[in-house]
Amino acid sequence: MLIRRIKCLGYLGARYNSSHFVTTPIFYVNAAPHIGHLYSAVIADAHCRYQRLKYPERKVRLCTGTDEHGTKIQQAAALHKVPVATYCDQISERYREVFQNANILQDDFIRTTEERHKRAVAHFWRTLNSRGHIYSAAYSGWYCVSDETFLTDSQLKLDEATGARYSLESGHPVEWTEETNYMFRLSKFQDDVIHWVKQEARIRPAKFEKILLDTLSEPLPDVSVSRPSNRVHWAIPVPDDSSQTVYVWLDALVNYLSALGYPDEEYSAFWPPAQQIIGKDILKFHGIYWPAFLIAAGLQPPGQLYVHSHWTVDGQKMSKSKQNVVNPVQAAEQYTMEGLRYFLLREGVAHSDGNYSHVKALRILNSELADTLGNLLSRACAKTLNPRQIYPSAQAEHLAEILGSLDAAKRLQESLLQLSERCAQHYESNHFHLVADTAMATLHAANNFFETSRPWELKKGAAGSNEPRLETIIAMTMDALRLCGIVLQPIIPQLATRLLDKLSVPATQRGWNYLAESFANTAHHGGSRQLNEQSSAMLFQRILEENREKEERKPQPAKRSKAKKKERRETMS
Ligand code: MSP
């Protein structure tokens, strides 16, 4: 019956209207941000940047923020001997700073301690209550403070030696709790949630849909949605009953509504969220509680949950006790923030855990951003080859001749022709690693073309001097760089901007539709344009490992290819 009502109201459709609301989880302020947190935000940011690029008519909105109530925060503040409010201010500010440094283009940063949020939670609670979905009951069970959740016996493991119990999933300790609480009739919404989960592409990657459906194959118990105020005082009071405070997960989930101005009508312009990015550890809350709460309140559940796995460090779970928590600010000192963004999106895949390792980061950043992308730009802009410092336009007759005679040119052309469609397909599924892969394959083809076409032999004054052909080769190379720059904007926004600035690509010509304009299918911009002198052609410097620094700084002639040696000789002459 409820399902039918939902269908009638179109609750399960409405994924892609003209607005596109995207959220990250809100982050607990019990500890400073680490790369796992940044990863959730970077995925959401790259997703939104792509949406803006591809669908300029769409109203895209990205919200993030901090989750500041509950026992966990109370305890963390007490441990640091800081008043809770001050503690929340300090850590929340660190998230804000990291996201700003990482260029997360958020439209709002919500804190659950803000008045606008408390008002939204009170309204949401009253709505659930007035619809008869909340009741009071004596409740007892195992509570896990770290995960802020009650767990059933089957979700626990017992340490025989100490008698202590832990959450099977997270490994965090639990404590026995008996209290009078308000309960939410979750059991009533089981069929609705199953129906919602089963809609096409509702939960991605698909493996997480299966996990949810496994959980949903057992009867859902009702959930406690309040705690006694004398136990959890750092929380939002239950409306009309100050002896109870709102359960932190109900409080936290409502942030997605309060960030849009709920309960004021304005929220409906962006509701429901098109995509909610979450980590795998909070799947139950977003994949079961959240749609149930929303349906119970008469609101539409989200269009899609995009679930990502976790980062381990050198194969180990990140944890304070192992002292292996990677701080994004420190990581950015090593790799630059753009380098860190690139590494996270290049190396991370949503369906399984990613391994964060310094060696891997160095290898990827040096070979892809420095050697493949950066180096090609420097070579195409080198004053010796390009003394007029221009982005030339390809000359038709030379272009035809080069494409007809050089396999490397044909391969580059084919790669460019497929770039837009392939990358769009990967972006649509948040497969950022495949976008990077595709862009790097194109840049390899461009490097190969540049090397094979030996432009340094065509310089004025040299024996085989042929300026128009030289300019055509540079134009083709710069077209490849420009197109890859456009494609990579969501992943490395600052580096891509610097690249496009250097090539003097007007701000109005950086949208997705400009991927169709290159030597590969059209004469793209008429005459040649002057390169931007203010912008450096040095995009990304190789990162030297400390102990190898001295070695690497020495010239290494033996490794240079014959062609490069020749180019160097020519350009130095
Ligand atoms: N406050 C809740 C979310 C409430 S949303 C209504 C919370 N906060 S959290 O700070 O613990 O986690 C926030 C996000 O960071 C989650 O998506 C979580 O999966 C992600 N990560 C935490 N550790 C992580 C890794 N090691 N790797 C990748 N992401 C990780 O849960």
Side-chain angles (χ1 to χ4, degrees):
M1 155 96 171
L2 249 178
I3 294 173
R4 234 176 303 128
R5 208 171 67 222
I6 294 164
K7 276 185 179 160
C8 290
L9 294 170
Y11 278 11
L12 300 165
R15 265 192 63 204
Y16 286 116
N17 46 24
S18 66
S19 70
H20 190 86
F21 179 39
V22 177
T23 65
T24 74
I26 48 168
F27 301 90
Y28 283 132
V29 290
N30 64 314
H34 60 55
I35 51 152
H37 303 129
L38 179 62
Y39 184 52
S40 289
V42 164
I43 290 178
D45 181 61
H47 172 92
C48 288
R49 284 176 184 271
Y50 164 73
Q51 291 287 324
R52 295 189 190 102
L53 207 59
K54 181 83 198 306
Y55 309 104
E57 70 291 348
R58 215 171 252 178
K59 285 180 284 162
V60 178
R61 190 171 174 84
L62 170 59
C63 291
T64 186
T66 42
D67 187 354
E68 308 189 5
H69 288 131
T71 319
K72 184 168 159 137
I73 314 296
Q74 245 174 246
Q75 289 179 352
L79 191 75
H80 288 85
K81 301 190 172 55
V82 180
V84 199
T86 315
Y87 190 71
C88 290
D89 287 348
Q90 288 169 353
I91 307 275
S92 180
E93 193 49 35
R94 289 179 71 174
Y95 273 96
R96 225 187 249 275
E97 278 168 18
V98 167
F99 291 169
Q100 194 177 356
N101 290 340
N103 250 298
I104 308 296
L105 263 189
Q106 69 228 16
D107 296 286
D108 201 347
F109 186 97
I110 184 127
R111 299 181 56 187
T112 55
T113 44
E114 287 177 69
E115 279 312 314
R116 59 174 172 153
H117 175 70
K118 292 180 189 170
R119 186 170 80 98
V121 171
H123 187 88
F124 194 80
W125 179 283
R126 287 199 165 102
T127 308
L128 293 181
N129 198 26
S130 67
R131 290 173 155 241
H133 303 311
I134 287 180
Y135 61 96
S136 170
Y139 190 79
S140 57
W142 295 99
Y143 194 76
C144 176
V145 172
S146 297
D147 304 343
E148 293 283 17
T149 186
F150 279 103
L151 295 169
T152 59
D153 285 344
S154 65
Q155 293 170 314
L156 300 176
K157 65 178 174 204
L158 174 70
D159 180 340
E160 302 281 356
T162 62
R165 286 176 169 77
Y166 298 86
S167 158
L168 204 55
E169 196 185 328
S170 70
H172 295 133
V174 297
E175 56 196 40
W176 182 252
T177 312
E178 291 179 23
E179 54 197 32
T180 296
N181 285 342
Y182 286 106
M183 305 291 292
F184 170 73
R185 298 187 199 280
L186 182 63
S187 50
K188 256 178 62 180
F189 294 93
Q190 178 138 8
D191 291 343
D192 298 294
V193 174
I194 293 174
H195 186 77
W196 172 78
V197 169
K198 283 184 170 169
Q199 298 306 301
E200 174 63 19
R202 180 71 72 214
I203 314 289
R204 281 291 177 265
K207 96 177 223 196
F208 295 107
E209 173 185 323
K210 194 174 168 311
I211 293 175
L212 270 184
L213 289 175
D214 279 352
T215 312
L216 286 161
S217 65
E218 299 290 325
L220 286 177
D222 289 350
V223 290
S224 157
V225 283
S226 75
R227 304 290 314 275
S229 316
N230 55 7
R231 289 202 169 151
V232 188
H233 66 84
W234 187 247
I236 299 175
V238 165
D240 312 315
D241 183 356
S242 58
S243 72
Q244 294 276 320
T245 52
V246 177
Y247 172 44
V248 60
W249 267 102
L250 174 54
D251 165 346
L253 288 163
V254 171
N255 93 83
Y256 302 130
L257 282 161
S258 39
L260 293 179
Y262 175 90
D264 298 341
E265 192 42 37
E266 64 190 78
Y267 87 92
S268 60
F270 281 95
W271 200 261
Q275 184 153 140
Q276 301 207 266
I277 315 291
I278 57 165
K280 63 178 185 179
D281 54 322
I282 53 177
L283 178 61
K284 171 180 83 177
F285 303 100
H286 286 81
I288 298 178
Y289 294 6
W290 182 222
F293 289 154
L294 287 169
I295 294 168
L299 296 168
Q300 299 183 41
Q304 185 177 78
L305 292 185
Y306 187 75
V307 190
H308 65 77
S309 299
H310 278 187
W311 282 96
T312 57
V313 174
D314 295 321
Q316 302 237 341
K317 192 174 169 176
M318 252 193 285
S319 80
K320 267 195 222 156
S321 56
K322 289 197 192 109
Q323 299 193 324
N324 63 350
V325 176
V326 181
N327 174 336
V329 178
Q330 281 165 6
E333 279 166 15
Q334 280 180 305
Y335 311 129
T336 73
M337 204 37 117
E338 289 286 289
L340 181 59
R341 274 182 76 113
Y342 186 76
F343 175 71
L344 292 177
L345 294 175
R346 172 68 163 129
E347 187 58 22
V349 287
H351 56 77
S352 37
D353 288 351
N355 187 27
Y356 183 93
S357 100
H358 177 61
V359 175
K360 214 190 288 180
L362 276 193
R363 190 166 41 77
I364 289 178
L365 297 179
N366 282 341
S367 79
E368 302 191 356
L369 293 187
D371 298 349
T372 306
L373 173 64
N375 198 29
L376 187 61
L377 179 69
S378 320
R379 290 177 88 187
C381 295
K383 288 219 166 98
T384 41
L385 262 194
N386 189 346
R388 292 202 287 141
Q389 289 294 281
I390 54 167
Y391 180 165
S393 57
Q395 312 233 345
E397 116 205 32
H398 289 281
L399 181 59
E401 191 277 312
I402 291 170
L403 286 172
S405 62
L406 269 187
D407 281 352
K410 276 244 64 77
R411 280 197 298 273
L412 176 59
Q413 183 186 38
E414 273 155 30
S415 197
L416 289 178
L417 285 174
Q418 291 166 359
L419 191 67
S420 168
E421 198 183 321
R422 283 199 180 163
C423 291
Q425 201 183 345
H426 298 321
Y427 269 129
E428 296 290 340
S429 341
N430 286 347
H431 290 156
F432 305 108
H433 62 294
L434 295 179
V435 176
D437 224 28
T438 310
M440 283 305 141
T442 302
L443 288 166
H444 281 137
N447 273 289
N448 185 258
F449 160 69
F450 191 81
E451 196 77 11
T452 319
S453 59
R454 310 166 82 80
W456 52 90
E457 289 179 351
L458 302 170
K459 264 183 15 172
K460 224 179 205 142
S465 148
N466 185 342
E467 278 301 292
R469 186 181 165 97
L470 169 62
E471 289 195 352
T472 302
I473 292 170
I474 295 178
M476 292 166 73
T477 308
M478 288 190 172
D479 272 4
L481 283 162
R482 177 171 55 86
L483 266 50
C484 290
I486 292 177
V487 154
L488 288 171
Q489 289 174 98
I491 297 176
I492 39 172
Q494 279 189 344
L495 281 180
T497 299
R498 280 175 41 209
L499 165 65
L500 297 171
D501 283 353
K502 180 73 208 170
L503 298 177
S504 298
V505 179
T508 50
Q509 293 178 18
R510 298 179 182 191
W512 200 263
N513 48 342
Y514 281 89
L515 290 176
E517 295 193 12
S518 77
F519 78 83
N521 43 17
T522 61
H524 69 98
H525 59 64
S528 44
R529 56 170 84 115
Q530 210 58 44
L531 293 178
N532 184 346
E533 273 178 29
Q534 314 298 322
S535 197
S536 164
M538 171 57 89
L539 265 193
F540 192 89
Q541 244 162 350
R542 280 194 127 251
I543 304 162
L544 303 181
E545 253 197 289
E546 266 163 41
N547 51 1
R548 284 210 274 136
E549 210 161 309
K550 283 189 194 137
E551 297 272 302
E552 294 243 358
R553 279 196 181 135
K554 287 186 204 157
Q556 296 183 350
K559 283 191 186 154
R560 241 178 224 119
S561 71
K562 272 189 190 160
K564 273 200 185 155
K565 267 192 209 162
K566 179 130 195 274
E567 178 192 355
R568 216 174 125 76
R569 265 202 314 273
E570 299 274 347
T571 51
M572 282 167 65
S573 61

